[in-house]
PDB file of all heavy atoms in Angstrom:
ATOM      1  N   GLY A 352      -5.381 -27.428 -13.958  1.00 67.00           N
ATOM      2  CA  GLY A 352      -6.390 -26.516 -14.448  1.00 67.00           C
ATOM      3  C   GLY A 352      -6.608 -26.625 -15.935  1.00 67.00           C
ATOM      4  O   GLY A 352      -7.341 -27.478 -16.388  1.00 67.00           O
ATOM      5  N   ALA A 356      -1.220 -24.799 -18.439  1.00 84.00           N
ATOM      6  CA  ALA A 356      -0.419 -25.035 -17.258  1.00 84.00           C
ATOM      7  C   ALA A 356       0.188 -26.440 -17.349  1.00 84.00           C
ATOM      8  O   ALA A 356       1.378 -26.643 -16.966  1.00 84.00           O
ATOM      9  CB  ALA A 356      -1.289 -24.950 -16.036  1.00 84.00           C
ATOM     10  N   ASP A 358       0.960 -28.003 -20.204  1.00 87.00           N
ATOM     11  CA  ASP A 358       2.033 -27.932 -21.183  1.00 87.00           C
ATOM     12  C   ASP A 358       3.273 -27.260 -20.631  1.00 87.00           C
ATOM     13  O   ASP A 358       4.360 -27.670 -20.925  1.00 87.00           O
ATOM     14  CB  ASP A 358       1.473 -27.214 -22.425  1.00 87.00           C
ATOM     15  CG  ASP A 358       2.456 -27.228 -23.534  1.00 87.00           C
ATOM     16  OD1 ASP A 358       3.075 -28.346 -23.785  1.00 87.00           O
ATOM     17  OD2 ASP A 358       2.708 -26.220 -24.137  1.00 87.00           O
ATOM     18  N   TRP A 360       4.218 -27.164 -17.494  1.00 86.00           N
ATOM     19  CA  TRP A 360       4.875 -28.091 -16.512  1.00 86.00           C
ATOM     20  C   TRP A 360       5.654 -29.177 -17.280  1.00 86.00           C
ATOM     21  O   TRP A 360       6.841 -29.477 -16.946  1.00 86.00           O
ATOM     22  CB  TRP A 360       3.871 -28.742 -15.596  1.00 86.00           C
ATOM     23  CG  TRP A 360       4.385 -29.998 -14.987  1.00 86.00           C
ATOM     24  CD1 TRP A 360       3.916 -31.234 -15.221  1.00 86.00           C
ATOM     25  CD2 TRP A 360       5.472 -30.116 -14.030  1.00 86.00           C
ATOM     26  NE1 TRP A 360       4.668 -32.102 -14.446  1.00 86.00           N
ATOM     27  CE2 TRP A 360       5.599 -31.465 -13.746  1.00 86.00           C
ATOM     28  CE3 TRP A 360       6.304 -29.218 -13.437  1.00 86.00           C
ATOM     29  CZ2 TRP A 360       6.576 -31.932 -12.857  1.00 86.00           C
ATOM     30  CZ3 TRP A 360       7.272 -29.662 -12.565  1.00 86.00           C
ATOM     31  CH2 TRP A 360       7.410 -31.031 -12.290  1.00 86.00           C
ATOM     32  N   ARG A 363       8.773 -27.543 -18.952  1.00 91.00           N
ATOM     33  CA  ARG A 363       9.847 -27.132 -17.941  1.00 91.00           C
ATOM     34  C   ARG A 363      10.411 -28.424 -17.293  1.00 91.00           C
ATOM     35  O   ARG A 363      11.621 -28.472 -17.010  1.00 91.00           O
ATOM     36  CB  ARG A 363       9.262 -26.282 -16.834  1.00 91.00           C
ATOM     37  CG  ARG A 363       9.017 -24.894 -17.284  1.00 91.00           C
ATOM     38  CD  ARG A 363       8.507 -23.981 -16.225  1.00 91.00           C
ATOM     39  NE  ARG A 363       8.344 -22.657 -16.762  1.00 91.00           N
ATOM     40  CZ  ARG A 363       7.828 -21.634 -16.042  1.00 91.00           C
ATOM     41  NH1 ARG A 363       7.424 -21.881 -14.824  1.00 91.00           N
ATOM     42  NH2 ARG A 363       7.661 -20.488 -16.567  1.00 91.00           N
ATOM     43  N   ALA A 371      19.860 -31.081 -16.429  1.00 93.00           N
ATOM     44  CA  ALA A 371      20.588 -31.467 -15.228  1.00 93.00           C
ATOM     45  C   ALA A 371      21.728 -32.414 -15.456  1.00 93.00           C
ATOM     46  O   ALA A 371      22.694 -32.489 -14.737  1.00 93.00           O
ATOM     47  CB  ALA A 371      19.600 -32.081 -14.192  1.00 93.00           C
ATOM     48  N   PHE A 381      34.677 -32.852 -11.820  1.00 92.00           N
ATOM     49  CA  PHE A 381      35.463 -31.946 -10.982  1.00 92.00           C
ATOM     50  C   PHE A 381      35.748 -32.611  -9.616  1.00 92.00           C
ATOM     51  O   PHE A 381      36.864 -32.588  -9.103  1.00 92.00           O
ATOM     52  CB  PHE A 381      34.749 -30.590 -10.750  1.00 92.00           C
ATOM     53  CG  PHE A 381      35.374 -29.792  -9.747  1.00 92.00           C
ATOM     54  CD1 PHE A 381      36.591 -29.060 -10.046  1.00 92.00           C
ATOM     55  CD2 PHE A 381      34.854 -29.609  -8.504  1.00 92.00           C
ATOM     56  CE1 PHE A 381      37.193 -28.284  -9.055  1.00 92.00           C
ATOM     57  CE2 PHE A 381      35.420 -28.823  -7.533  1.00 92.00           C
ATOM     58  CZ  PHE A 381      36.627 -28.122  -7.811  1.00 92.00           C
ATOM     59  N   VAL A 383      35.834 -35.851  -8.937  1.00 89.00           N
ATOM     60  CA  VAL A 383      36.703 -36.952  -9.138  1.00 89.00           C
ATOM     61  C   VAL A 383      38.139 -36.443  -9.217  1.00 89.00           C
ATOM     62  O   VAL A 383      39.100 -37.063  -8.648  1.00 89.00           O
ATOM     63  CB  VAL A 383      36.318 -37.785 -10.365  1.00 89.00           C
ATOM     64  CG1 VAL A 383      37.406 -38.737 -10.764  1.00 89.00           C
ATOM     65  CG2 VAL A 383      35.018 -38.516 -10.091  1.00 89.00           C
ATOM     66  N   LYS A 384      38.359 -35.354  -9.887  1.00 91.00           N
ATOM     67  CA  LYS A 384      39.706 -34.739  -9.989  1.00 91.00           C
ATOM     68  C   LYS A 384      40.228 -34.283  -8.635  1.00 91.00           C
ATOM     69  O   LYS A 384      41.399 -34.451  -8.286  1.00 91.00           O
ATOM     70  CB  LYS A 384      39.763 -33.630 -10.993  1.00 91.00           C
ATOM     71  CG  LYS A 384      39.709 -34.025 -12.411  1.00 91.00           C
ATOM     72  CD  LYS A 384      39.799 -32.818 -13.306  1.00 91.00           C
ATOM     73  CE  LYS A 384      39.755 -33.257 -14.759  1.00 91.00           C
ATOM     74  NZ  LYS A 384      39.891 -32.090 -15.634  1.00 91.00           N
ATOM     75  N   GLU A 385      39.333 -33.682  -7.837  1.00 87.00           N
ATOM     76  CA  GLU A 385      39.785 -33.133  -6.557  1.00 87.00           C
ATOM     77  C   GLU A 385      39.818 -34.173  -5.433  1.00 87.00           C
ATOM     78  O   GLU A 385      40.719 -34.162  -4.687  1.00 87.00           O
ATOM     79  CB  GLU A 385      38.774 -32.020  -6.128  1.00 87.00           C
ATOM     80  CG  GLU A 385      38.819 -30.800  -7.021  1.00 87.00           C
ATOM     81  CD  GLU A 385      40.153 -30.070  -6.899  1.00 87.00           C
ATOM     82  OE1 GLU A 385      40.687 -29.924  -5.765  1.00 87.00           O
ATOM     83  OE2 GLU A 385      40.655 -29.670  -7.975  1.00 87.00           O
ATOM     84  N   LEU A 397      24.723 -42.334 -13.372  1.00 93.00           N
ATOM     85  CA  LEU A 397      23.699 -43.157 -13.983  1.00 93.00           C
ATOM     86  C   LEU A 397      22.292 -42.635 -13.781  1.00 93.00           C
ATOM     87  O   LEU A 397      21.429 -42.773 -14.695  1.00 93.00           O
ATOM     88  CB  LEU A 397      23.760 -44.583 -13.415  1.00 93.00           C
ATOM     89  CG  LEU A 397      24.970 -45.411 -13.738  1.00 93.00           C
ATOM     90  CD1 LEU A 397      24.959 -46.722 -13.040  1.00 93.00           C
ATOM     91  CD2 LEU A 397      25.192 -45.547 -15.210  1.00 93.00           C
ATOM     92  N   PRO A 399      21.029 -39.337 -13.437  1.00 94.00           N
ATOM     93  CA  PRO A 399      20.520 -38.247 -14.292  1.00 94.00           C
ATOM     94  C   PRO A 399      20.085 -38.602 -15.680  1.00 94.00           C
ATOM     95  O   PRO A 399      19.029 -38.137 -16.136  1.00 94.00           O
ATOM     96  CB  PRO A 399      21.655 -37.279 -14.241  1.00 94.00           C
ATOM     97  CG  PRO A 399      22.398 -37.543 -13.000  1.00 94.00           C
ATOM     98  CD  PRO A 399      22.277 -39.042 -12.805  1.00 94.00           C
ATOM     99  N   LEU A 405      13.022 -40.361 -18.467  1.00 93.00           N
ATOM    100  CA  LEU A 405      11.687 -40.293 -17.906  1.00 93.00           C
ATOM    101  C   LEU A 405      11.044 -38.918 -18.211  1.00 93.00           C
ATOM    102  O   LEU A 405       9.876 -38.856 -18.518  1.00 93.00           O
ATOM    103  CB  LEU A 405      11.691 -40.517 -16.429  1.00 93.00           C
ATOM    104  CG  LEU A 405      11.959 -41.964 -15.950  1.00 93.00           C
ATOM    105  CD1 LEU A 405      12.020 -41.989 -14.461  1.00 93.00           C
ATOM    106  CD2 LEU A 405      10.865 -42.842 -16.508  1.00 93.00           C
ATOM    107  N   GLY A 406      11.823 -37.846 -18.133  1.00 93.00           N
ATOM    108  CA  GLY A 406      11.280 -36.499 -18.443  1.00 93.00           C
ATOM    109  C   GLY A 406      10.864 -36.401 -19.896  1.00 93.00           C
ATOM    110  O   GLY A 406       9.844 -35.816 -20.183  1.00 93.00           O
ATOM    111  N   VAL A 413       2.514 -37.064 -22.498  1.00 88.00           N
ATOM    112  CA  VAL A 413       1.663 -36.173 -21.676  1.00 88.00           C
ATOM    113  C   VAL A 413       1.321 -36.864 -20.384  1.00 88.00           C
ATOM    114  O   VAL A 413       0.137 -37.079 -20.078  1.00 88.00           O
ATOM    115  CB  VAL A 413       0.377 -35.696 -22.440  1.00 88.00           C
ATOM    116  CG1 VAL A 413      -0.327 -34.626 -21.628  1.00 88.00           C
ATOM    117  CG2 VAL A 413       0.733 -35.164 -23.797  1.00 88.00           C
ATOM    118  N   THR A 418       6.933 -37.193 -15.709  1.00 93.00           N
ATOM    119  CA  THR A 418       7.814 -36.021 -15.782  1.00 93.00           C
ATOM    120  C   THR A 418       8.311 -35.636 -14.403  1.00 93.00           C
ATOM    121  O   THR A 418       9.501 -35.361 -14.274  1.00 93.00           O
ATOM    122  CB  THR A 418       7.050 -34.819 -16.427  1.00 93.00           C
ATOM    123  OG1 THR A 418       6.591 -35.208 -17.693  1.00 93.00           O
ATOM    124  CG2 THR A 418       8.007 -33.646 -16.590  1.00 93.00           C
ATOM    125  N   GLY A 421      10.957 -38.023 -13.376  1.00 93.00           N
ATOM    126  CA  GLY A 421      12.240 -37.741 -14.074  1.00 93.00           C
ATOM    127  C   GLY A 421      12.976 -36.569 -13.496  1.00 93.00           C
ATOM    128  O   GLY A 421      14.197 -36.545 -13.327  1.00 93.00           O
ATOM    129  N   VAL A 422      12.223 -35.510 -13.141  1.00 93.00           N
ATOM    130  CA  VAL A 422      12.869 -34.375 -12.523  1.00 93.00           C
ATOM    131  C   VAL A 422      13.446 -34.732 -11.139  1.00 93.00           C
ATOM    132  O   VAL A 422      14.533 -34.361 -10.808  1.00 93.00           O
ATOM    133  CB  VAL A 422      11.856 -33.183 -12.380  1.00 93.00           C
ATOM    134  CG1 VAL A 422      12.321 -32.103 -11.499  1.00 93.00           C
ATOM    135  CG2 VAL A 422      11.462 -32.645 -13.743  1.00 93.00           C
ATOM    136  N   GLY A 427      17.560 -35.046  -7.839  1.00 93.00           N
ATOM    137  CA  GLY A 427      17.884 -35.714  -6.608  1.00 93.00           C
ATOM    138  C   GLY A 427      19.113 -36.604  -6.653  1.00 93.00           C
ATOM    139  O   GLY A 427      19.574 -37.047  -5.538  1.00 93.00           O
ATOM    140  N   ALA A 428      19.641 -36.815  -7.785  1.00 92.00           N
ATOM    141  CA  ALA A 428      20.878 -37.669  -7.905  1.00 92.00           C
ATOM    142  C   ALA A 428      22.078 -37.006  -7.231  1.00 92.00           C
ATOM    143  O   ALA A 428      22.911 -37.738  -6.632  1.00 92.00           O
ATOM    144  CB  ALA A 428      21.133 -37.999  -9.354  1.00 92.00           C
ATOM    145  N   LEU A 433      26.307 -37.328  -3.154  1.00 88.00           N
ATOM    146  CA  LEU A 433      27.206 -36.715  -2.175  1.00 88.00           C
ATOM    147  C   LEU A 433      26.954 -37.363  -0.783  1.00 88.00           C
ATOM    148  O   LEU A 433      27.901 -37.524  -0.039  1.00 88.00           O
ATOM    149  CB  LEU A 433      26.998 -35.222  -2.116  1.00 88.00           C
ATOM    150  CG  LEU A 433      27.322 -34.485  -3.405  1.00 88.00           C
ATOM    151  CD1 LEU A 433      27.032 -33.000  -3.310  1.00 88.00           C
ATOM    152  CD2 LEU A 433      28.798 -34.675  -3.784  1.00 88.00           C
ATOM    153  N   VAL A 437      29.834 -39.343   1.419  1.00 87.00           N
ATOM    154  CA  VAL A 437      30.145 -39.019   2.797  1.00 87.00           C
ATOM    155  C   VAL A 437      30.038 -40.211   3.642  1.00 87.00           C
ATOM    156  O   VAL A 437      30.878 -40.455   4.487  1.00 87.00           O
ATOM    157  CB  VAL A 437      29.249 -37.882   3.286  1.00 87.00           C
ATOM    158  CG1 VAL A 437      29.367 -37.710   4.797  1.00 87.00           C
ATOM    159  CG2 VAL A 437      29.629 -36.572   2.601  1.00 87.00           C
ATOM    160  N   ALA A 441      33.312 -42.117   5.704  1.00 53.00           N
ATOM    161  CA  ALA A 441      33.316 -42.032   7.187  1.00 53.00           C
ATOM    162  C   ALA A 441      33.771 -43.340   7.804  1.00 53.00           C
ATOM    163  O   ALA A 441      33.950 -44.355   7.300  1.00 53.00           O
ATOM    164  CB  ALA A 441      31.934 -41.667   7.718  1.00 53.00           C
TER     165      ALA A 441
END
Side-chain angles (χ1 to χ4, degrees):
D358 186 45
W360 160 248
R363 286 184 179 173
F381 171 76
V383 166
K384 285 183 180 179
E385 293 293 319
L397 296 178
L405 287 177
V413 188
T418 303
V422 170
L433 297 177
V437 168

